[in-house]
Amino acid sequence: MATVFKWILDPPSSLGSVSDEFAIGDFQIRLVAACLDIEAVTTGTEETAGRLAEEYVGLLRGRGVHILLLTTKDFAALPPRIIQVEGPTQKERTFILAAVRGARNGLLARSDAALRQCYEYWDQAIDNPDHALFYAYKLMEVLKKKFGGWAALIRTLALRDKIEYVKRAANDAHMDERHACGELVKNTAHPRFDRATALKYTEDILRAYEQDLRRDSDHLAR
């Protein structure tokens, strides 16, 4: 049974504008605003999760994000204070986003190469919403190559409908730029696919690949 260990990154405003999620070993790391959740999917211990949290925060500090790692109990015990949260400038957000992704890449340096590449394409899909499905398809192509073809990918992840939906959406000229000579087709009166649905399915496929790697733990070993 999965167990989730929680920490607060203080000050809370430091990472309030970004989020991330990735797999490493038996753990799933989720950063949402100032909350760091590390889920032990099967047998990971609190001690191991704590060391992973410390390493992750150390990598963030090394990239200029000045934060403390606190348990929820320690954070609740802090004296009352006024926390003013202001939206970051574009420059600040770009800096924080680069730090978060750099910390992730640091933790995953010895993990599965295809998984790291999938995360990079997923980042680009999030960063470029107008052309998100182009990067979603690139992510799928990484997995196609890893498994040796579409049929093997579908068979292994058992997500035929979602994989086929993303493929068709990415190849539809009304949805994205993949086959539109670099420009979006403007006639979207009756689109056959929903972009948000295609991206949700892409994330589902990515999470399914993480689970598949856990069944062969050498690929996620550090």
Side-chain angles (χ1 to χ4, degrees), residues 168-183:
R168 292 196 302 270
N171 282 294
D172 189 303
H174 293 84
M175 294 295 296
D176 220 289
E177 63 173 6
R178 188 164 182 266
H179 293 305
C181 301
E183 294 184 1

Side-chain angles (χ1 to χ4, degrees), residues 145-157:
K145 181 178 179 181
K146 176 66 182 286
F147 286 98
W150 291 117
L153 172 61
I154 290 169
R155 182 172 60 251
T156 303
L157 299 188

Side-chain angles (χ1 to χ4, degrees), residues 45 59 72 88 105 147 153 161 169 179 187 196 200 205-206 222:
T45 66
L59 288 167
T72 54
N105 291 339
F147 286 98
L153 172 61
D161 290 347
H179 293 305
N187 180 17
K200 177 61 173 63
I205 293 161
L206 176 58
R222 303 188 59 215

Side-chain angles (χ1 to χ4, degrees), residues 112-115 141-149 209 213 219:
D112 180 69
L115 181 64
E141 285 186 320
V142 171
L143 298 181
K144 172 193 172 186
K145 181 178 179 181
K146 176 66 182 286
F147 286 98
Y209 181 53
L213 289 176
H219 290 289

Side-chain angles (χ1 to χ4, degrees), residues 16 19 43 55 61 76 86 97 109 153 162 172 181 186 206:
S19 62
T43 61
E55 184 177 358
R61 290 180 187 138
E86 297 181 359
L97 199 57
L153 172 61
K162 293 182 178 182
D172 189 303
C181 301
K186 301 304 182 181
L206 176 58

Side-chain angles (χ1 to χ4, degrees), residues 22-37:
F22 58 95
I24 181 166
D26 182 55
F27 296 96
Q28 192 78 8
I29 295 182
R30 299 183 186 90
L31 174 68
V32 181
C35 298
L36 177 64
D37 291 354

Side-chain angles (χ1 to χ4, degrees), residues 117-221:
Q117 193 171 13
C118 285
Y119 289 142
E120 291 174 3
Y121 282 130
W122 181 245
D123 290 341
Q124 292 181 73
I126 299 301
D127 293 345
N128 300 276
D130 286 344
H131 306 307
L133 295 187
F134 173 84
Y135 297 106
Y137 193 90
K138 297 294 288 184
L139 185 157
M140 300 258 288
E141 285 186 320
V142 171
L143 298 181
K144 172 193 172 186
K145 181 178 179 181
K146 176 66 182 286
F147 286 98
W150 291 117
L153 172 61
I154 290 169
R155 182 172 60 251
T156 303
L157 299 188
L159 294 174
R160 175 183 296 275
D161 290 347
K162 293 182 178 182
I163 291 170
E164 293 294 347
Y165 187 97
V166 176
K167 286 172 59 181
R168 292 196 302 270
N171 282 294
D172 189 303
H174 293 84
M175 294 295 296
D176 220 289
E177 63 173 6
R178 188 164 182 266
H179 293 305
C181 301
E183 294 184 1
L184 291 174
V185 175
K186 301 304 182 181
N187 180 17
T188 57
H190 300 288
R192 293 181 293 170
F193 303 98
D194 177 71
R195 191 184 306 274
T197 298
L199 289 178
K200 177 61 173 63
Y201 287 173
T202 303
E203 184 175 13
D204 291 344
I205 293 161
L206 176 58
R207 303 303 167 210
Y209 181 53
E210 293 170 344
Q211 291 294 340
D212 181 71
L213 289 176
R214 286 194 176 96
R215 289 190 286 269
D216 185 1
S217 59
D218 289 344
H219 290 289
L220 279 177

